[in-house]
């Protein structure tokens, strides 16, 4: 009687990871694991290295990569392939799925000198249509979680054998990760882990137990001084065991084959199913910021095809498909601005390269109306050689994306994240989710006694108007800009609401390097009104990757503050935003106003508990205006970068 054990270590770091974190994990985890591999080259271990991590090693740790390559080629190890940028294949067009898998394979072949047979799926997110792309990319089997099998009607014994699945006649093999052992290895004793493996003994060993999880558990999540001796002894016990045979997936398939055909639903591991609501693309509905990136990706793809973009534009496009910034659970990173920044950087870089090569803006600005975010309502896209401005009339006529396309500073200046009602935040009494998306050029009318704290902390009913979420009418689209308008109501006096007509004019100047937004607030009542009107912006400058630094802002060239500090002024006009080694952003009102400035901060769940994350800076210009019947108040806010 014997049992079979398959051990898969998955190495990954996302595109945009801070260099300080890379250095720490490299030292604490990856170096330690490489040392262990050198002692256990005779043990049939299975490894997967994500494309982003292999690229990091090639750039920053070439000697380490060469040592890893040498050990692999002189060992019994098997190396799995995967998507080039560790992307979630189910949210990509078919052509991208195939290209991701082919590029991932080639990267492993080029850097490690081996040809993968099996496939590691990012976050093990399965989709029943994947076999076609997997087969076309020349992989013979894939690793998924046993939860995928259980939710698809398989029994426990089925998920401890290899099965086959197909789509449109394309057939591939499937092996299942055992969730139970993933939760006890390495957190329990060696005896408990080995006894669990032995519980699947058969006369010929055809039932396997497959452990597949993050390499970073050893040395990063679990301190190196504990992880290293535990894993060293575990490998030794596997090597010496007479009743547990360690095999790679390919060895298992060669020895035991497949037990039959099954059809698997669009599932993943248990926690991912919980976080996503059962289906990974639900993240794109839950988080408009994630959907924004995804739809930007689709738009850039269309442009790359149409403009016949060169290869380095496409490489940036594929790097922007790295999964971490598109979702959130315990590990996902849509709440991490540095990861969203990296996605936008690569997308905008791909866009800039394709446009430059095609002389796309030879005739100046391009303005179009398109359903950018696929919600059935048109957005207005203003594009220039140096910038993109995306406006959403149906969401307060707000500016939800501002792409700077200067070489070396490819960045979405509205890379901000709103606060959502996450289940794990329900017990926190002083946390209120945002009731509107934190973007720019959104209008409010405040209660007269409203404060900075009321605004940034979402005190209920301090905005007494309906303008913030108003569907603005598109009155005119011209060569240099867009005119929007809306009729709002000021409900300060519930029994006698006041009608206020707002005209908002977006004008792009200086080849796209300056945006002017002109406002006309008109009293439509036959009586005097004196509302406290407000214009809100949310912005995030580009953050450096080489250190964890906080940007600064200065009000009227007199008061300097960190982004994490709040500030209010009764009579100001100009806010300058700066971050280390990057451009200065200037926000200026042509009239003095009460100014509120505050950090936009979220609380997100991580493997180390709740963490406060800076998402950008919020700015409001508040004017108390006195308007007789038919009178109007005009002001202008300019946004530019130096």
């Amino acid at each position: 009687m014997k049992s079979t054990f398959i051990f898969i270590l998955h190495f990954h770091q996302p595109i945009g990871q801070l260099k300080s974190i890379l250095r720490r994990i490299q030292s604490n985890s990856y170096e330690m694991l490489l040392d262990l591999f050198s002692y256990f080259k005779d043990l049939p271990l299975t490894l997967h290295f994500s494309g982003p991590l292999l690229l990091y090693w090639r750039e920053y740790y070439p000697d380490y990569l060469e040592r890893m390559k040498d050990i692999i080629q002189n060992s019994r190890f098997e190396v799995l392939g995967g998507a080039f940028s560790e992307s979630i294949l189910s949210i990509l067009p078919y052509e991208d799925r195939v290209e991701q898998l082919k590029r991932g394979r080639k990267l492993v072949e080029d850097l490690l000198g081996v040809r993968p047979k099996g496939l590691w799926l990012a976050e093990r997110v399965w989709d029943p249509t994947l076999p076609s792309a997997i087969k076309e990319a020349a992989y013979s089997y894939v690793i998924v979680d046993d939860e995928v099998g259980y939710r698809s009607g398989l029994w426990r014994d089925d998920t401890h054998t290899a099965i086959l699945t197909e789509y449109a006649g394309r057939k591939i093999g499937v092996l299942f990760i055992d969730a139970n052992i993933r939760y006890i290895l390495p957190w329990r004793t060696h005896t408990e882990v080995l006894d669990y493996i032995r519980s699947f003994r058969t006369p010929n060993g055809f039932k396997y137990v497959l452990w597949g999880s993050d390499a970073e558990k050893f040395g990063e999540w679990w301190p190196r001084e504990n992880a290293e001796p535990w894993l060293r002894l575990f490998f030794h016990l596997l090597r010496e065991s007479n009743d547990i045979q360690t095999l790679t997936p390919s060895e298992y398939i060669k020895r035991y084959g497949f037990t039959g055909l099954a059809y698997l639903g669009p599932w993943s591991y248990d926690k991912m199913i919980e976080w996503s609501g059962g289906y990974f693309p639900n993240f794109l509905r839950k988080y408009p910021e994630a959907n924004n990136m995804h739809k930007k990706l689709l738009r850039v793809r269309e442009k790359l095809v149409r403009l016949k973009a060169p290869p380095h534009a496409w490489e940036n496009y594929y790097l922007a498909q790295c999964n971490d910034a598109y979702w959130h659970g315990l590990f996902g990173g849509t709440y991490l601005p540095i990861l969203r920044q990296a996605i936008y950087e690569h997308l905008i870089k791909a866009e800039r390269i394709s446009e430059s090569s095609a002389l796309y803006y030879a005739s100046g600005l391009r303005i179009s109306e398109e359903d950018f975010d696929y919600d059935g309502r048109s957005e207005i896209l203003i594009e220039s050689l140096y910038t993109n401005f995306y406006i959403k009339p149906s969401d307060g006529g707000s500016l939800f994306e501002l792409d700077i396309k200067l070489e070396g500073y490819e960045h979405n200046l509205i890379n901000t994240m709103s606060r959502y009602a996450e289940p794990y935040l329900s017990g926190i009494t002083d946390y209120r989710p945002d009731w509107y998306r934190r973007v720019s050029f959104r209008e409010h009318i405040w209660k007269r006694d409203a404060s900075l704290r009321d605004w940034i902390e979402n005190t209920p009913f301090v905005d007494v108007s309906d303008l913030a979420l108003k569907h603005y009418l598109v009155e005119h689209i011209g060569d240099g800009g867009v005119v929007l308008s809306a009729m709002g109501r000021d409900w300060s006096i519930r029994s006698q609401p006041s009608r206020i007509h707002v005209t908002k004019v977006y004008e792009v100047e200086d080849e796209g390097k300056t945006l002017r937004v002109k406002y006309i607030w008109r009293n439509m009542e036959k009586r005097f009104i004196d509302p406290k009107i407000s214009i809100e912006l949310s912005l995030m400058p580009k953050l450096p990757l080489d250190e964890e630094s906080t940007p600064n802002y200065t009000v009227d060239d007199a008061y300097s503050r960190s982004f994490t500090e709040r500030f209010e002024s009764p009579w100001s006009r100009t806010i300058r935003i700066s971050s280390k080694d990057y451009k200065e952003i200037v926000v200026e009102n042509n009239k003095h106003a009460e100014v509120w400035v505050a950090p936009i901060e979220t609380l997100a769940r991580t493997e180390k508990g709740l963490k406060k994350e800076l998402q950008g800076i919020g700015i409001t210009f508040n004017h108390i205006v006195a308007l007789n019947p038919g009178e109007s108040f005009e002001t202008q806010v300019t946004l530019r970068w130096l």
Side-chain angles (χ1 to χ4, degrees), residues 241-370:
S241 176
N242 294 319
D243 60 347
I244 297 176
Q245 61 176 354
T246 303
L247 298 177
T248 67
S250 291
E251 288 175 335
Y252 175 88
I253 292 170
K254 183 177 181 180
R255 186 171 301 184
Y256 298 107
F258 301 99
T259 57
L261 175 67
Y263 290 91
L264 307 175
W267 309 109
S268 181
Y269 55 90
D270 52 356
K271 294 299 183 183
M272 177 61 79
I273 293 171
E274 172 191 336
W275 300 328
S276 67
Y279 185 47
F280 187 89
N282 286 338
F283 284 118
L284 306 182
R285 176 176 172 83
K286 181 177 181 180
Y287 302 113
E289 293 82 1
N291 188 57
N292 207 126
M293 290 185 294
H294 182 258
K295 301 311 180 286
K296 172 75 174 180
L297 184 143
L298 297 180
R299 177 171 172 77
V300 169
R301 186 185 204 285
E302 182 275 332
K303 191 172 287 188
L304 297 184
V305 172
R306 177 159 45 89
L307 299 180
K308 296 180 172 57
H312 56 302
W314 281 100
E315 178 161 343
N316 277 283
Y317 167 76
Y318 291 121
L319 289 172
Q321 296 176 349
C322 184
N323 79 87
D324 303 70
Y326 290 93
W327 64 280
H328 173 66
L330 187 57
F331 314 110
T334 201
Y335 276 102
L336 298 178
I338 201 76
L339 298 188
R340 300 194 309 273
Q341 173 178 297
I343 298 299
Y344 280 114
E345 179 177 349
H346 285 292
L347 286 175
I348 297 166
K349 191 175 293 186
E351 185 177 30
R352 177 185 58 75
I353 293 168
S354 64
E355 292 171 347
S356 299
S357 63
L359 299 176
Y360 189 63
Y361 296 107
S363 59
L365 287 179
R366 288 175 173 261
I367 305 179
S368 61
E369 285 189 271
E370 302 177 28

Side-chain angles (χ1 to χ4, degrees), residues 350-510:
E351 185 177 30
R352 177 185 58 75
I353 293 168
S354 64
E355 292 171 347
S356 299
S357 63
L359 299 176
Y360 189 63
Y361 296 107
S363 59
L365 287 179
R366 288 175 173 261
I367 305 179
S368 61
E369 285 189 271
E370 302 177 28
D371 182 8
F372 171 85
D373 56 10
Y374 290 44
D375 69 346
R377 291 164 290 191
S378 292
E379 286 72 50
I380 301 172
L381 312 182
I382 306 174
E383 300 176 315
S384 76
L385 182 62
Y386 299 112
T387 41
N388 297 325
F389 304 93
Y390 295 174
I391 301 165
K392 191 166 183 60
S394 62
D395 184 30
S398 58
L399 182 72
F400 65 92
E401 182 169 332
L402 198 173
D403 300 327
I404 301 176
K405 297 190 285 187
L406 301 178
E407 187 171 359
Y409 192 86
E410 294 89 350
H411 180 61
N412 173 17
L413 192 55
I414 309 181
N415 176 31
T416 52
M417 182 81 181
S418 305
R419 291 165 286 196
Y420 294 96
E422 303 287 0
Y424 55 83
L425 299 175
S426 58
I428 300 177
T429 56
D430 59 347
Y431 178 88
R432 296 188 189 94
D434 290 321
W435 55 277
Y436 58 88
R437 187 176 172 191
R438 295 281 179 175
V439 287
S440 287
F441 297 106
R442 193 183 295 279
E443 293 72 59
H444 305 273
I445 299 177
W446 304 121
K447 290 174 61 176
R448 186 60 64 88
D449 61 351
S451 67
L452 179 154
R453 180 176 180 180
D454 292 325
W455 156 61
I456 201 64
E457 296 182 8
N458 295 312
T459 298
F461 309 118
V462 294
D463 185 341
V464 293
S465 75
D466 54 1
L467 283 168
L469 301 179
K470 199 74 174 179
H471 190 145
Y472 273 60
L473 299 177
V474 181
E475 291 195 352
H476 177 72
I477 298 178
D479 294 337
V482 175
V483 180
L484 307 176
S485 69
M487 181 72 77
R489 281 178 168 78
D490 175 1
W491 294 86
S492 298
I493 303 174
R494 299 290 297 176
S495 61
Q496 197 177 28
S498 303
R499 292 172 301 155
I500 298 179
H501 186 270
V502 179
T503 300
K504 179 162 45 174
V505 183
Y506 287 93
E507 294 182 341
V508 177
E509 301 176 359
D510 190 21

Side-chain angles (χ1 to χ4, degrees), residues 10-15 48-55 80-89 91-92 100-101 103-104 107 119-125 214 216 280 318-327 343:
H10 160 62
F11 294 68
H12 171 58
Q13 292 301 316
I15 295 292
H48 171 253
F49 310 100
S50 75
L53 183 57
L54 288 174
L55 294 175
L80 301 179
F84 170 67
S85 63
E86 196 69 3
S87 56
I88 302 293
L89 299 177
I91 64 173
L92 300 181
Q100 279 281 352
L101 295 177
R103 284 176 179 249
L107 193 63
L119 174 66
W120 179 272
L121 286 175
E123 296 302 321
R124 284 102 66 202
V125 175
D214 304 271
E216 296 78 17
F280 187 89
Y318 291 121
L319 289 172
Q321 296 176 349
C322 184
N323 79 87
D324 303 70
Y326 290 93
W327 64 280
I343 298 299

